[in-house]
Amino acid sequence: MSTGTLLAIIIPVIVVIALVAAAAFLFMRRRHLRERFGPEYERTVEGADNRLAAERELSARERRHDSLDIKPLPSSVRERYARDWTSVQDEFVDRPNDAVHDADRLVTSLMHERGYPTGEFEQRMKDLSVEHGRTLEHYRAAHEIDTLSAQHKATTEQLRGAMVHYRELFDELLSDGGQSRHARA
C-alpha cells in the first residue's frame, strides 16, 4: 500500500477514536456531576446558556470546594448545636419570626464551624451544592421565607415550613451528611 492510502485509512480511524474518547469523557463527566450534585445539576443546566457551560460551572464549584477545609465536628460541638437547635424550635411557639431568623443564623454558624465560607448567600449555595445538593432546595426555600419574614410578609404556616426546611440542612450539616473530603480519605 502506498503512503497516501495508509494515511487515508489511519487518519479517519484516529479521528473516530478521538471522537469516541471525547464522547466517553463527556458522558462520564456528566454522570459524575449528576450523581454528585443531584437536583442541583438540573437546576444549574436550566439556568445556563447550555449544558457545557453549566457543567463547567459545576466543575468549578467542585474545585473551589476541594480547596476549602471542610471538617467534621467533634461530638461536643455537635451536642451544643443540637441544644441550640432545640432552643430555636422552642422559641418558635412565642416568636416565630425571631425563631426563623435565629434558625438561619444557626445554620450559617454551623456552616462556618464546618469550614464553609459564609459570605454572600449565592456563594454559600454554590459551596453547599457540592456535598449537599439534595438538601439545597430546603435551604433555598427557607431563605426565601426568612426574607419574607424580615419584610413582615410571611404567614405562620410559611414560617413553620421554613423551620422544617432549615432543619433538613441543619441535620445534614450536623451529622456530616455529605462527609468532608478528609473523612472520606
Side-chain angles (χ1 to χ4, degrees):
M1 265 194 240
S2 72
T3 305
T5 305
L6 281 175
L7 288 176
I9 294 170
I10 294 173
I11 291 175
V13 169
I14 291 173
V15 169
V16 168
I17 291 172
L19 289 173
V20 168
F25 170 77
L26 290 174
F27 174 78
M28 295 300 286
R29 181 176 82 164
R30 183 167 293 148
R31 190 171 85 192
H32 163 75
L33 292 171
R34 277 189 171 149
E35 288 172 4
R36 180 112 195 230
F37 286 90
E40 189 64 15
Y41 174 88
E42 292 302 327
R43 188 181 207 340
T44 304
V45 167
E46 288 172 11
D49 293 337
N50 59 58
R51 185 173 301 275
L52 215 49
E55 290 176 353
R56 276 194 302 271
E57 160 67 23
L58 293 171
S59 292
R61 289 183 195 183
E62 277 187 314
R63 285 189 301 278
R64 175 181 160 84
H65 184 274
D66 288 346
S67 73
L68 302 174
D69 186 24
I70 308 300
K71 54 196 170 295
L73 298 174
S75 60
S76 61
V77 174
R78 281 197 316 273
E79 290 168 10
R80 177 177 48 92
Y81 273 102
R83 284 190 307 273
D84 291 348
W85 181 263
T86 300
S87 296
V88 169
Q89 276 186 228
D90 292 344
E91 177 185 21
F92 186 83
V93 174
D94 295 322
R95 298 186 328 272
N97 281 308
D98 292 341
V100 169
H101 297 313
D102 289 345
D104 181 69
R105 283 192 287 276
L106 188 59
V107 165
T108 302
S109 174
L110 179 55
M111 287 172 55
H112 178 73
E113 188 97 30
R114 291 281 318 274
Y116 286 98
T118 55
E120 173 195 332
F121 177 73
E122 285 304 315
Q123 187 60 55
R124 277 184 278 167
M125 294 291 289
K126 289 177 181 178
D127 291 338
L128 285 170
S129 72
V130 177
E131 294 289 339
H132 305 282
R134 286 169 176 66
T135 56
L136 202 55
E137 194 56 39
H138 288 287
Y139 189 39
R140 190 175 279 115
H143 182 75
E144 288 174 13
I145 295 168
D146 186 37
T147 301
L148 285 175
S149 173
Q151 301 165 0
H152 304 289
K153 295 180 180 178
T155 67
T156 303
E157 196 55 38
Q158 287 173 315
L159 295 170
R160 185 173 288 109
M163 292 296 290
V164 170
H165 290 308
Y166 277 127
R167 180 65 190 238
E168 286 295 320
L169 180 60
F170 179 85
D171 283 346
E172 189 167 299
L173 286 167
L174 192 63
S175 68
D176 294 334
Q179 298 295 310
S180 72
R181 70 179 188 279
H182 301 296
R184 287 191 306 253

